[in-house]
Amino acid sequence: MQFAKRMDRFGEGIFTKLSDIKSGRLQRGERVIDLSIGTPNIPPAPHVIEALCTAAAEEKNYIYALSDQSELLEAVSSWYKKRYNVELDPKTEICSLLGSQEGLAHISLSIVDEGDIVLVPDPCYPVFADGPLLAGAKLHYMPQNKENGYVINLQDIPEHVARQAKLMLVSYPNNPTTAMAPDSFYADLIAFAKKYDIIVLHDNAYSELVFDGQDCGSFLAFPGAKEVGVEFNSLSKTYGLAGARIGFCMGNAEVVSRLRILKSNMDYGMFLPLQHAAIAAITGDQSGVETTRKAYERRRDVLCEGLNAIGWSMEKPSATMFVWAAIPGHYEKSEDFAMDLVAKAGVIVTPGSAFGPSGEGYVRMALVQDTEILKQAVDAVHDSGILIRSME
Ligand SMILES: Cc1ncc(COP(=O)(O)O)c(C=O)c1O
């Protein structure tokens, strides 16, 4: 058998390794507290489940959807107006996705050709790099590190790279670093994209998971944003619908239209009962969004305060469902630390190196367990003695 050379761009990666370790431990009856993958465990609101079940009980809803129902497009448009004060034309500026991951994986195929340069944050959510790689792009990393407050420094992008780049991916609140970007960053980003004729993809998966009374809007609310790009949004975390696979790409009509054409050759649209569930989620009672936000804030407090108290120093994140922590000083490699942590404490975290070169020296912990389990994780880290040398 012969396979595509393009597959050489992808490995099985750290998540498979961690998953194998987890299975091995569970088979041996050993405890595991998994804080690696960001799978939310907070269910959707009852009215969303009811809308899904009602629509799923109707025989007529089992045809190919083929396209987004006008009711869904209108609902997304109203949601963006009400929540973010952004006007979207339902006919031309919105495209549903089978989860935002799907859209992020595919959209580069509609924008870049083999060898084109794509600007990607480092560290980043893996599909930001994998989508462009699938399309044959060359990546130019834009560091997000402690020195720049984990926000991309546009001035650091060399002029010749900016001139050649066709596309850039940006996302705040950020996974994995948890950073938010100031308004001034978005103004600079739009000016930069206009100057160099670069399409911007902004991923807004975490605008609702913002803590300590802060607020977060949309990239599309900034003047000129729609001229240069689109925003991705997801119902996975905000509405507890991760497994349902519901996301949207919104903004620049030309970018949206190319993505729609591409997708019409790949899938037959979102299952109609899911379109009904999405409408219920974004137009119905929004109190569940606040409950979810508070749950993550509590989890963040328990984990960060607990780990700080036992000598692992880290800042509390101001947003997202993750904690981004520097590894203890006596470790050099984040993967070595993560492997020791699971072996000695049974706690699984993701090494920062999995998110790009600038992620080295950090681990990401996902707040996907209830507070009681997070307290147990803190105790397990303490009892393992893994931090001891860093406290000497
Ligand atoms: C930044 C970011 N974008 C997108 C996604 C994927 O979301 P979806 O479930 O809509 O595919 C995630 C999931 O963890 C994420 O962290």
Side-chain angles (χ1 to χ4, degrees), residues 146-159:
K146 197 169 180 187
E147 292 69 47
N148 57 27
Y150 302 102
V151 176
I152 295 163
N153 199 347
L154 297 167
Q155 282 86 37
D156 288 348
I157 301 168
E159 176 87 19

Side-chain angles (χ1 to χ4, degrees), residues 38 99-102 104 125 128 171 175 203 205-206 234 236-237 242 245-246 322:
S100 57
Q101 168 95 357
E102 177 269 311
L104 289 161
Y125 180 60
F128 291 4
S171 179
N175 175 10
D203 185 356
Y206 295 108
S234 165
S236 292
K237 315 292 159 72
R245 316 306 303 127
I246 306 172
F322 305 105

Side-chain angles (χ1 to χ4, degrees), residues 321-362:
M321 57 189 295
F322 305 105
V323 174
W324 185 240
I327 58 176
H330 54 288
Y331 280 90
E332 270 180 26
K333 299 259 177 243
S334 55
E335 188 166 339
D336 292 347
F337 174 67
M339 292 304 151
D340 267 7
L341 192 63
V342 63
K344 294 180 179 168
V347 175
I348 309 188
V349 300
T350 309
S353 52
F355 302 100
S358 297
E360 185 51 272
Y362 290 81

